[in-house]
Amino acid sequence: MANMQALVLVENEKIEIQTVPVPELKPGEALVKMQAASLNHRDQWSRIGMYPGLKYPSILGSDGCGIVEKVHDDADQSWVGKSVIMNPNVNWGDDPRFQSFNYSILGMPTDGTLAEYLAVPVHRLHEKPAHLTPHQAAALPLAALTAYRAIFTKAETTKDSKVLVTGIGGGVSQFAFQFAKALGCKVFVTSGSDEKLAKMKEVGADGTANYKAEKWEKDLVKQASGHFDVIIDSGGGPGFTALVKSLNRAGTLVVYGGTAGTTVNIKLPYFWFAQANIKGTTMGNDQEFAEMVKFVSEHKIEPMISSTRSLAEVVSAFDEMHEGKQFGKLIIEI
Ligand SMILES: NC(=O)c1ccc[n+]([C@@H]2O[C@H](COP(=O)([O-])OP(=O)(O)OC[C@H]3O[C@@H](n4cnc5c(N)ncnc54)[C@H](OP(=O)(O)O)[C@@H]3O)[C@@H](O)[C@H]2O)c1
């Protein structure tokens, strides 16, 4: 039996590169020789025991790009040799509005992309967008899918929407920014880092604020000449009321994470007087995944990449994510 290198979550807080068997194919599956993977915050949450349904040992990683080396079924032969990314949804289910109760995400509990080989059902494969390198394409799946559903399905953003995306150093938030810009919106951003905000100005942010500053929301609403029609947030925590306060009449605040804290205080009058909507979202359904890939291809969107390193150095990428130093996606070359 052939072996490969993979990043294994061995036990709580312990991730390491191990030599493990190359997965054997089951009916309906393809074996992908991975070229690149990328990290999501979920990988770091899994590392520190803060993700539901953890299984030890597991190979982490939800995102990647590679070449199909072989398939189990003759009917799938046309995939062999293709450059692919994988839809990380496992069992979304029949209702496009929400995931089924046996939904999971590639990379926990099923073995993931931070390995030399991945066995994955053929129906999860999508051809790599032609304008992207394998490294860029590896940045897409989970983060771009989450951003796509947040911006389009949940917030129903149009070109006339005034948009605020918080915590812009993050992978999902940068895709939300890029999608809203591609629509033609004015897009404003926050970060805890002035350096990241300066970089966002260079790539077209229409206004910026540091969420660590006092009354930052007043400053940003002033820069935007009014309140926001759409706010996309994954911070939560103590800053949440400032977001609700910044919503325009009938505005929509979409939340997909709680990096700064999962318990929030909302001054309800800000919410009801604005006729506001607060919507939760998680990942996206399979149709949204296909639409996201099409949108990225049509608009030639290139993911923002913070750094690229080898699989042998992957643990340092987790540490960087934990410290919040990254600006965009952390890519692992395999
Ligand atoms: N529900 C879902 O389907 C889903 C999908 C993907 C991610 N998530 C969640 O969303 C969050 C972001 O994920 P990611 O993979 O994009 O992570 P990431 O790339 O590690 O980004 C995390 C970002 O959070 C921002 N942040 C930190 N403290 C903040 C605060 N007080 N207020 C606002 N933003 C703050 C930081 O932005 P700055 O550096 O700019 O300050 C940081 O870059 C995580 O909590 C993750 O678990 C949920």
Side-chain angles (χ1 to χ4, degrees), residues 266-297:
I266 302 177
K267 281 212 174 118
L268 287 175
Y270 293 132
F271 178 48
W272 75 60
F273 279 126
Q275 310 271 359
N277 307 290
I278 299 181
K279 296 185 178 178
T281 194
T282 279
M283 301 291 285
N285 60 43
D286 291 347
Q287 188 186 328
E288 286 161 332
F289 190 87
E291 288 170 7
M292 177 277 289
V293 174
K294 190 162 171 266
F295 187 85
V296 165
S297 299

Side-chain angles (χ1 to χ4, degrees), residues 41 45 146 167-172 191-192 196 211 256 259-260 282-283 326:
H41 217 97
W45 293 134
T146 307
I168 201 62
V172 181
S191 174
K196 293 181 188 180
Y211 57 68
Y256 61 90
T259 308
T282 279
M283 301 291 285
Q326 78 279 12

Side-chain angles (χ1 to χ4, degrees), residues 39-45 50-51 103 105 142-143 145-147 166-174 190-193 196-197 210-212 216 233-239 243 255-262 280-284 320-330:
L39 295 195
N40 290 287
H41 217 97
R42 131 181 239 272
D43 301 308
Q44 171 59 19
W45 293 134
M50 287 180 66
Y51 204 85
Y103 176 72
I105 301 171
L142 189 154
L145 174 63
T146 307
T166 69
I168 201 62
V172 181
S173 35
Q174 290 193 340
T190 69
S191 174
S193 151
K196 293 181 188 180
L197 293 174
N210 190 319
Y211 57 68
K212 290 179 181 163
W216 65 263
D233 181 56
S234 64
L243 298 181
V255 188
Y256 61 90
T259 308
T262 49
T281 194
T282 279
M283 301 291 285
E320 188 179 332
M321 175 164 272
H322 174 59
E323 289 160 21
K325 288 186 186 156
Q326 78 279 12
F327 179 71
K329 297 293 288 184
L330 298 163

